[in-house]
Amino acid sequence: MIHFRALAAAAALLCLTSPISTASAENGEVNVYTYRETKLIQPLFDAFTKDTGIKVNVVSASSGLEQRIKAEGANSPADVLLTVDIGRIDEAVQVGVTQPIKSEVIDKIVPAQYRDPDGHWAGISMRARVIYASKDRVKQDAITYEELADPKWKGKICIRSGQHIYNNGLFAAYAARYGEAKTEEWLRGVKANLAQKPSGGDRETARDVAAGKCDIGIGNTYYWALMMNNDPDKKAWAEATRVILPTFEGGGTHVNLSGVLLAKHAPNKANAVKLIEWLAGERAQQMYADTNYEYPVRAGVAINPTIAGYGKLNADPLPISKISANRKAASTLVDKVGFDN
Ligand SMILES: [Fe+2]
């Protein structure tokens, strides 16, 4: 649910956020930099403080947090970075502002496919990249990602930019599975099926399916739930569509992560690891996933009823780190096939 905005807007937001001074960073506190909206996650931090007595200081922004941590250098008060999508998680690691979490609790609770093999990040919850299908015009109940390139969908698919991180993750998953040549062929096929030039966000994709511009759209699981339950203006877009969980042939549904990273110079490292471990706990998992309409990463935690209503998620078992390694190739291919043109 985090979207790119102009750096100027982010800078303005950062100025409004009460600054964390290194002087305030002492035992009994933990400093969280987050791309998740404060109003959504504050109840979670309040519960953490109640459980542990550790105060949580929050810096919230819509972009630029890794750069801020980098600029703050060894004096950065940042302990924990909360972010969404493997694209942003990967960027934080690449820019060099993280360190391994090293937690047996995390290693035990978070499945290996949703953790960095080097320990720099761990998934807290998951979202799937799925199909918003027209209730009126789409009869089938199952679909594969491969099938999106089938000419039977010619002129019937809507999707946002192929360079957006959500699509980059999906296309990278395709490339990790099939290699670049097959991915290029598939992307050409999908592009040939588009009803219109890639545009808007996932909600607008649902809007366009509802308006009859296309029969199927590609979007994330939580947007549909947000439109259906939390946004009266957009409820009709959800009502005109239904979510189909697509799978790779012989595989599962592509999922992406909402994740957590430990800052390289975390001044409250022990508390940071406590918070990260606490986020993997049963109650936190329930709160976090429910608040954001995501899938809990911890097994056995109840899934929000709207999300559960999509059907049973059979997540693709490919490790997120392997998908991440194909992000650049996927981006290059999107340009090569002129996906967004
Ligand atoms: Fe989003």
Side-chain angles (χ1 to χ4, degrees), residues 1-3 84 127 160 164 166 202-203 220 222-223:
M1 280 174 285
I2 311 297
H3 300 285
V84 292
R127 62 275 300 284
R160 74 194 305 166
H164 188 272
Y166 301 161
D202 290 356
R203 294 180 181 90
N220 281 355
Y222 55 84
Y223 285 116

Side-chain angles (χ1 to χ4, degrees), residues 9-337:
L13 186 58
L14 284 170
C15 290
L16 291 173
T17 314
S18 60
I20 295 171
S21 72
T22 44
S24 74
E26 51 194 80
N27 288 344
E29 297 190 330
V30 63
N31 301 323
V32 178
Y33 284 30
T34 178
Y35 285 115
R36 303 230 81 152
E37 280 182 70
T38 312
K39 69 170 185 198
L40 290 178
I41 51 173
Q42 193 56 50
L44 203 73
F45 295 150
D46 291 345
F48 172 73
T49 300
K50 211 174 163 205
D51 278 2
T52 63
I54 298 167
K55 187 179 170 222
V56 182
N57 303 309
V58 181
V59 170
S60 165
S62 55
S63 67
L65 287 174
E66 306 82 357
Q67 286 72 25
R68 174 167 168 170
I69 297 171
K70 185 148 182 92
E72 287 166 345
N75 294 321
S76 174
D79 291 308
V80 171
L81 177 64
L82 273 183
T83 189
V84 292
D85 198 277
I86 56 167
R88 292 198 185 87
I89 290 169
D90 193 39
E91 277 158 24
V93 175
Q94 297 305 324
V95 85
V97 297
T98 60
Q99 64 173 312
I101 296 166
K102 287 184 188 158
S103 158
E104 284 176 14
V105 173
I106 290 298
D107 290 354
K108 191 170 161 227
I109 293 170
V110 181
Q113 74 185 93
Y114 303 130
R115 278 188 274 120
D116 178 18
D118 297 325
H120 284 254
W121 51 263
I124 290 299
S125 61
M126 292 126 62
R127 62 275 300 284
R129 195 116 185 98
V130 298
I131 303 296
Y132 304 156
S134 163
K135 274 186 183 165
D136 293 339
R137 300 182 299 282
V138 177
K139 299 299 164 211
Q140 65 193 71
D141 293 322
I143 191 167
T144 63
Y145 293 110
E146 290 85 344
E147 191 193 315
L148 296 174
D150 189 314
K152 77 183 245 196
W153 296 111
K154 192 161 181 58
K156 292 183 160 57
I157 299 178
C158 284
I159 190 169
R160 74 194 305 166
S161 166
Q163 292 296 7
H164 188 272
I165 52 168
Y166 301 161
N167 285 332
N168 181 245
L170 172 61
F171 300 167
Y174 202 99
R177 190 176 177 89
Y178 292 114
E180 291 184 31
K182 276 196 159 180
T183 304
E184 179 178 339
E185 192 186 332
W186 177 72
L187 283 172
R188 286 190 195 282
V190 177
K191 179 183 163 50
N193 287 340
L194 297 184
Q196 59 188 11
K197 193 175 135 101
S199 64
D202 290 356
R203 294 180 181 90
E204 288 69 34
T205 293
R207 176 196 68 195
D208 292 347
V209 174
K213 290 182 181 171
C214 30
D215 286 357
I216 58 176
I218 288 99
N220 281 355
T221 35
Y222 55 84
Y223 285 116
W224 194 94
L226 284 167
M227 291 186 290
M228 182 57 88
N229 300 333
N230 297 37
D231 196 343
D233 291 346
K234 299 181 176 65
K235 192 174 169 76
W237 304 349
E239 284 176 335
T241 59
R242 67 199 159 90
V243 170
I244 303 176
L245 301 180
T247 59
F248 285 107
E249 279 169 17
T253 301
H254 170 63
V255 300
N256 208 312
L257 300 175
S258 162
V260 64
L261 302 103
L262 177 61
K264 188 176 183 178
H265 300 290
N268 307 290
K269 188 173 165 181
N271 286 349
V273 173
K274 262 186 206 161
L275 174 61
I276 291 169
E277 291 177 345
W278 186 88
L279 286 169
E282 257 177 66
R283 186 161 62 106
Q285 281 283 295
Q286 181 88 69
M287 282 176 79
Y288 193 87
D290 215 22
T291 303
N292 298 303
Y293 287 117
E294 291 184 298
Y295 295 93
V297 82
R298 181 186 179 115
V301 176
I303 297 169
N304 175 276
T306 301
I307 302 297
Y310 302 158
K312 189 178 172 359
L313 175 72
N314 167 30
D316 191 46
L318 195 68
I320 296 292
S321 58
K322 292 235 160 51
I323 296 172
S324 220
N326 285 273
R327 287 181 60 233
K328 199 166 178 191
S331 172
T332 302
L333 289 173
V334 162
D335 281 346
K336 190 177 177 189
V337 308

